[in-house]
Amino acid sequence: MSNQLLVLQSDFGLVDGAVSAMIGVALQESPNLGIHHLTHDITPYNIFEGSYRLFQTVEYWPKGTTFVSVVDPGVGSKRKSVVALTEQDHYIVTPDNGTLSYIKKHVGIKAVREISEVKNRRQNTEHSYTFHGRDVYAYTGAKLASGHISFEEVGPVLSVNDIVELPVVETQVTDNQVRGAIDILDVRFGSLWTSITREEFYQLNPEFNDRFEVTIYNNDMLVYQNQVTYGKSFADVRIGQPILYINSLYRLGLAINQGSFAKAYNVGVGSNWHIEVKKI
């Protein structure tokens, strides 16, 4: 079922040879692989961000594509190394440290296997404990993507219920208000992507050009409060004006037309960043 496509993600950046070493290991296994990059600019150690970027991307690739995601602050510890098979028939090779959270919740996982490091680890690397991205994940991913091993040959079956999941902020909806978290940024443009789904927001029966009172808290500290227009796209408001919109993942977003909301108001991401949207 593998299709010779291997997609790499990490928090390694491109300033040294780490990513190149992963590519080299994969090409040693099979020079015919098509190797692509999701991103290597995940914020260092940010497992949630790695999880989200997989969710943002995986379903747009052909069935049978193998993803290797290495955001691994616990490298060398007791955390498991796994391959997940998604409901849409993609493979994800990753540490079991929460990276699979968003895929499990929003895409679905059919099966998980633990990587048998006796068989599926590069030879003569067993005394190196800090670069599993090269020695275990890229290597196993390449073997799987090339068809040199089957999913069954990865290693023993694990329970999908037992994989590590990051805590999520549940959306709260009342008659005239919806409350959630700021999950992540549309990094380059500084727009805020919230945890509030289109369906959840639409329980407020919004119409385009309606105005909403938007409040952002960092824990209990008020960071932003203003009236904001709901629009289809950024150009529905003047340059420099804020806008609420539904983003490409069907989540509620908050942006400034041709500006960075995150920079303008020094807004961060994560479960301690709460957003309330209230119908006026």
Side-chain angles (χ1 to χ4, degrees), residues 38-90:
L38 197 162
T39 179
H40 295 290
D41 285 327
I42 298 293
T43 304
Y45 319 120
N46 193 322
I47 296 165
F48 178 89
E49 195 178 320
S51 177
Y52 200 101
R53 296 304 180 205
L54 284 171
F55 159 65
Q56 183 185 350
T57 310
V58 164
E59 68 175 317
Y60 299 104
W61 283 79
K63 286 186 176 188
T65 299
T66 302
F67 292 80
V68 171
S69 179
V70 191
V71 182
D72 194 15
V75 63
S77 69
K78 293 260 189 295
R79 60 97 189 94
K80 293 183 170 79
S81 300
V82 300
V83 181
L85 174 61
T86 76
E87 289 287 354
Q88 297 178 346
D89 293 325
H90 300 99

Side-chain angles (χ1 to χ4, degrees), residues 66-70 82-84 91-95 115 136-137 140-141 144:
T66 302
F67 292 80
V68 171
S69 179
V70 191
V82 300
V83 181
Y91 298 104
I92 301 175
V93 185
T94 186
I115 297 172
V136 178
Y137 300 121
T140 301
L144 197 56

Side-chain angles (χ1 to χ4, degrees), residues 92-121:
I92 301 175
V93 185
T94 186
D96 179 27
N97 59 5
T99 297
L100 293 169
S101 298
Y102 252 72
I103 292 289
K104 182 178 171 185
K105 185 174 168 71
H106 298 292
V107 177
I109 293 174
K110 283 200 259 199
V112 179
R113 289 180 175 269
E114 183 172 7
I115 297 172
S116 170
E117 291 192 16
V118 178
K119 289 183 191 164
N120 294 317
R121 182 184 178 123

Side-chain angles (χ1 to χ4, degrees), residues 207-264:
E207 302 276 348
F208 291 124
N209 296 319
D210 281 355
R211 293 178 73 72
F212 292 83
E213 184 180 85
V214 176
T215 311
I216 297 172
Y217 299 95
N218 182 8
N219 291 315
D220 295 326
M221 187 175 74
L222 181 67
V223 175
Y224 176 85
Q225 188 167 52
N226 203 355
Q227 291 189 11
V228 181
T229 300
Y230 171 54
K232 268 188 189 173
S233 65
F234 311 114
D236 285 356
V237 295
R238 295 194 307 278
I239 290 173
Q241 294 294 304
I243 185 166
L244 283 166
Y245 68 103
I246 300 299
N247 71 13
S248 58
L249 298 176
Y250 282 1
R251 300 290 188 282
L252 187 65
L254 180 60
I256 291 174
N257 186 16
Q258 295 188 34
S260 168
F261 199 104
K263 278 190 185 147

Side-chain angles (χ1 to χ4, degrees), residues 12-25 131 134:
F12 297 163
L14 295 173
V15 293
D16 65 11
V19 170
S20 188
M22 290 171 68
I23 296 168
V25 163
F131 198 0
R134 177 194 65 194

